[in-house]
Amino acid sequence: MLTGHHLIAGREVSADYSPFQALNPATNLKLDTIFGEGTSELADEALQAADSAFDALRTAPAETRAALLDHLADEIMALGDALLERAHQETALPMARLTGERGRAIGQCKMFAALLREGSWAQMSIDTPLPERVPAPKPDVRRILQPIGPVVVFGASNFPFAIGVVGTDTVCALAAGCPVVVKAHPAHPGTCEMLSRAVFNALRKTGLPDASFSMIHGRGYEIGIELVKHPLTEAVAFTGSLKGGRALMDVAAARPHPIPFYGEMGSINPVFILPGALKERATKLAEAYIGSVTMGVGQFCTNPAMVLGLKGAELSEFVTAAGQQAEKVAPQTMLHRGICETYEAGTAVWSTISGLKLAGQSTLEASSDATQAACRIFSTTLDVLEENEELRREVFGPCSIITECANLQDMLRFARSLEGQLTAAVHGTAEDLRQYAALIRVLERKVGRIIFNGFGTGIEPCPSMHHGGPYPAASHSFFTSIGTGSIYRFVRPVCYQGFPDDCLPTALQNANPAGSMRLVDGTLTRNGL
């Protein structure tokens, strides 16, 4: 089924430049199918094609684009077990996890299809004319969100379906009416090829141009830079490391015509355990905490890498219980060797820091041949944390640091010093929340999502979800990369003044045939004019 080809606007292009193969991280053996590096010529071809398809895609009726997403959901499912098996070989993610993630990807397609059919997402606003107004007549003014043009998508290594070729970025861009060029992830190129073919099948079933989508392979950074700096690229979506994201973000900003770069770049996701929680359930909380730290071998951008609690017997009980739980966790295979080596290097640095103690780690030894990582939990005090900046940098994997604070002021001082975070969790009682309200006020300025009595791992794709945060967690704190709000990254307002009714976009016309919610003269209504 796999060819290793780049897929440019429905056309297969052999990938014979700088060939590479995917590795099975559990065995470190090369998988079949040879892929190749993309070139600047391929980037240009893909984006020229995307630009040529833009008008057809953006002017297609909402129902047509909704049908595209419905067909895409069907095509993903039609790939069957072959998709799951290839993704398992390339990522070592368990089949049950991949099956669930496939369901999430399909659900996202359906979610955006429903959003398009309802229509109000485009934020139509109409101010009717007042020709008799003095001293100056009021014109007819109408506004709607319109797609911006070709979008380049960089998928994540840890979510090959839900944040990959058919993930939120691609789906919401197509929903908005923007053509997409995907830079395939080199850790799972076969999975990327299979999903890209699903996109083309869905486009053809809907009658939309093949040029609405392209996928280019690449193991190096050069092809990514070429895609970002291409003059026809209008926006970029990225999920990955801060180092990689910031490099591409700088390229986007340095263009003669700068473009928005929407990067989700990870965080340490601090957890604050308040006295009520420690008193009521220290041991159970430790068990839940280790479950979150080791979920997916710690390979989530919302992994709880830092815990803070008040000094005392209850916190000591929590540390002991967490260490004991960590010892029970068997080492697991990470996504690829590069991530595993970075994890080992990061925790090795931690181990050299005076005042940082190992509270517990997996009893079984990790196998480097199987790209395995052991769980490691450390404990320290706030002064050690403040003296060692490297302890506050994300180490991607199943590790975390529990930090002892003397009092609430210590917690507040740490919270105020935080860089932007995707999530923060607060564990406690309702009375704790009232007593520690100042902590919540600080976190509201630092964090995209605040969780009470839970952990950031596990994201519900829904309209109310915000997956982002102040820099460096994300490149722009207003936008989310998960949920229906993610569509707003790829649109911009266009205002129409004085247009004849039949020359306006359908959603702005007087009759409002879709019955969408519109703001008319300051009042929300579904009625026509």
Side-chain angles (χ1 to χ4, degrees):
M1 182 180 295
L2 296 178
T3 65
H5 291 164
H6 308 288
L7 301 175
I8 310 298
R11 186 172 70 89
E12 297 192 13
V13 180
S14 62
D16 51 9
Y17 174 67
S18 189
F20 66 94
Q21 291 170 262
L23 288 176
N24 183 330
T27 63
N28 276 302
L29 296 177
K30 291 182 179 180
L31 298 172
D32 57 0
T33 309
I34 296 175
F35 303 87
E37 199 73 22
T39 62
S40 59
E41 291 78 14
L42 277 179
D44 181 64
E45 184 179 345
L47 284 157
Q48 292 282 358
D51 191 62
S52 73
F54 182 38
D55 278 347
L57 186 60
R58 74 187 183 96
T59 59
E63 176 55 39
T64 301
R65 297 204 299 273
L68 167 65
L69 302 184
D70 283 339
H71 285 309
L72 179 55
D74 294 340
E75 291 295 328
I76 295 169
M77 199 65 195
L79 290 169
D81 290 344
L83 174 65
L84 301 178
E85 289 166 1
R86 181 69 189 196
H88 174 64
Q89 290 174 351
E90 291 184 327
T91 67
L93 291 172
M95 293 293 278
R97 151 72 193 274
L98 289 167
T99 301
E101 190 187 333
R102 180 180 62 180
R104 173 175 160 182
I106 290 170
Q108 289 173 163
C109 291
K110 299 289 188 181
M111 179 175 68
F112 280 101
L115 186 77
L116 290 176
R117 290 188 171 104
E118 194 283 327
S120 301
W121 72 273
Q123 297 181 357
M124 291 74 68
S125 180
I126 298 173
D127 281 274
T128 55
L130 295 173
E132 307 301 323
R133 190 184 67 176
V134 292
K138 176 187 174 185
D140 183 280
V141 182
R142 308 187 182 207
R143 194 187 83 151
I144 190 173
L145 298 178
Q146 294 278 29
I148 57 174
V151 171
V152 169
V153 169
F154 293 80
S157 64
N158 56 343
F159 282 89
F161 305 155
I163 314 178
V165 170
V166 296
T168 306
D169 297 330
T170 296
V171 169
C172 72
L174 292 173
C178 295
V180 173
V181 177
V182 169
K183 160 61 174 63
H185 200 287
H188 49 256
T191 302
C192 291
E193 181 181 333
M194 295 175 76
L195 292 171
S196 295
R197 294 184 184 279
V199 178
F200 287 121
N201 288 342
L203 285 167
R204 290 161 187 166
K205 285 183 176 180
T206 320
L208 290 167
D210 284 354
S212 303
F213 180 84
S214 291
M215 182 275 294
I216 301 178
H217 291 292
R219 185 170 50 180
Y221 63 86
E222 294 87 356
I223 184 60
I225 291 175
E226 291 294 331
L227 290 167
V228 173
K229 73 180 186 181
H230 194 283
L232 292 177
T233 300
E234 291 293 345
V236 179
F238 170 90
T239 299
S241 69
L242 175 59
K243 180 180 178 181
R246 181 55 195 257
L248 294 175
M249 181 179 173
D250 290 345
V251 172
R255 292 169 32 133
H257 167 59
I259 56 172
F261 176 87
Y262 299 111
E264 187 273 280
M265 299 177 286
S267 65
I268 62 171
N269 308 294
V271 177
F272 298 85
I273 305 181
L274 304 183
L278 283 174
K279 185 176 181 179
E280 286 183 354
R281 54 185 190 277
T283 300
K284 288 186 177 180
L285 187 53
E287 184 178 353
Y289 159 60
I290 296 301
S292 180
V293 169
T294 58
M295 182 184 295
V297 206
Q299 297 170 121
F300 291 108
C301 51
T302 53
N303 197 48
M306 185 69 64
V307 174
L308 295 99
L310 296 185
K311 180 179 180 179
E314 290 88 356
L315 182 62
S316 297
E317 179 186 351
F318 174 83
V319 172
T320 299
Q324 291 171 345
Q325 289 295 324
E327 291 171 357
K328 299 176 184 178
V329 177
Q332 298 292 323
T333 298
M334 299 192 81
L335 290 160
H336 56 78
R337 181 157 292 278
I339 284 180
C340 191
E341 290 174 349
T342 300
Y343 172 74
E344 292 297 336
T347 54
V349 169
W350 285 3
S351 298
T352 66
I353 295 173
S354 177
L356 185 71
K357 301 174 183 178
L358 184 65
Q361 66 177 337
S362 301
T363 301
L364 296 176
E365 185 176 349
S367 168
S368 60
D369 291 339
T371 322
Q372 288 183 344
C375 174
R376 296 189 179 101
I377 303 299
F378 299 84
S379 65
T380 191
T381 56
L382 186 59
D383 58 334
V384 174
L385 196 67
E386 291 176 331
E387 291 167 4
N388 296 275
E389 184 63 31
E390 58 267 40
L391 294 180
R392 299 173 64 173
R393 300 191 188 108
E394 181 185 31
V395 175
F396 201 59
C399 62
S400 186
I401 300 172
I402 305 169
T403 301
E404 177 187 280
C405 297
N407 48 43
L408 171 60
Q409 292 309 311
D410 272 1
M411 276 193 177
L412 289 175
R413 187 169 79 247
F414 174 83
R416 292 189 185 105
S417 71
L418 282 170
E419 294 186 307
Q421 304 292 319
L422 294 172
T423 74
V426 177
H427 288 261
T429 63
E431 182 56 35
D432 281 331
L433 274 186
R434 299 181 188 101
Q435 185 177 348
Y436 288 76
L439 175 63
I440 304 302
R441 301 292 83 78
V442 173
L443 294 178
E444 287 169 346
R445 300 179 62 179
K446 300 286 186 174
V447 174
R449 177 166 56 111
I450 307 172
I451 304 106
F452 182 55
N453 286 341
F455 295 94
T457 45
I459 296 176
E460 179 65 33
C462 64
S464 299
M465 178 52 62
H466 185 83
H467 189 56
Y471 182 86
S475 55
H476 196 309
S477 63
F478 183 82
F479 294 97
T480 179
S481 60
I482 300 293
T484 55
S486 59
I487 197 171
Y488 294 111
R489 297 173 296 171
F490 307 131
V491 293
R492 66 178 181 86
V494 177
C495 183
Y496 300 83
Q497 182 171 321
F499 270 59
D501 186 64
D502 64 336
C503 297
L504 287 163
T506 303
L508 287 179
Q509 291 176 7
N510 289 340
N512 191 19
S516 301
M517 188 69 73
R518 306 188 298 184
L519 187 67
V520 178
D521 292 330
T523 300
L524 286 170
T525 178
R526 296 185 185 275
N527 296 332
L529 301 183

